Amino acid sequence: MARRSRRAFPSAAQPTAPPAALAGLARIRANRVRPPRDLSLRRDMDFALADITRLRRNVSSIAAAWQATIPAALLPRTRLTSLSRAQLTVAVPDAATRFELDRFLRAGGFAALTQACPANLTKVRITLA
């Protein structure tokens, strides 16, 4: 039986240099490689924090304007529930309070409220709690 001769293959420990024609291509590929994606929640958390900060600033200014504008008799019976899309939602305990508050806002209270607060406010929605 004849012995087979062994060929010498380059070992994995010694990387071979790319040919001169492929060196330019390797350099271009190195420049085009995109950085790895950032999978952390840092960007989303920054957006959420900015939204919360803006909402807190708007709600606190509206709350201060609400206390300054609404008559003292109605103030303890109202509760600011939410501010969404420039619409303020106010909860009241009964229909009588809702009627009084609606009449006050229609008689110029809404204009005074929008003048008193720097936040954008287009509508006040009154709900029964």
Side-chain angles (χ1 to χ4, degrees):
M1 206 172 192
R3 269 182 106 180
R4 292 186 176 173
S5 65
R6 290 189 170 176
R7 288 178 144 179
F9 290 107
S11 67
Q14 296 176 346
T16 58
L22 295 179
L25 184 60
R27 189 177 66 247
I28 291 172
R29 281 186 180 160
N31 289 339
R32 292 191 57 162
V33 172
R34 292 187 177 126
R37 289 180 48 195
D38 183 18
L39 298 177
S40 68
L41 295 175
R42 180 182 326 138
R43 184 173 173 216
D44 294 333
M45 294 301 287
D46 288 342
F47 284 138
L49 183 62
D51 286 343
I52 290 171
T53 303
R54 185 176 58 251
L55 183 63
R56 189 181 115 228
R57 184 177 59 240
N58 288 342
V59 168
S60 65
S61 65
I62 288 176
W66 184 261
Q67 288 182 350
T69 307
I70 300 301
L74 289 175
L75 195 58
R77 294 184 284 167
T78 61
R79 184 181 73 223
L80 301 180
T81 306
S82 68
L83 173 66
S84 177
R85 296 182 181 149
Q87 178 178 343
L88 179 66
T89 304
V90 180
V92 294
D94 53 7
T97 306
R98 180 179 179 174
F99 179 77
E100 288 180 46
L101 184 60
D102 182 54
R103 290 295 115 198
F104 170 76
L105 290 173
R106 288 178 190 253
F110 180 73
L113 181 64
T114 55
Q115 291 290 326
C117 70
N120 186 18
L121 187 62
T122 58
K123 184 178 179 183
V124 175
R125 183 171 172 237
I126 306 169
T127 61
L128 293 175

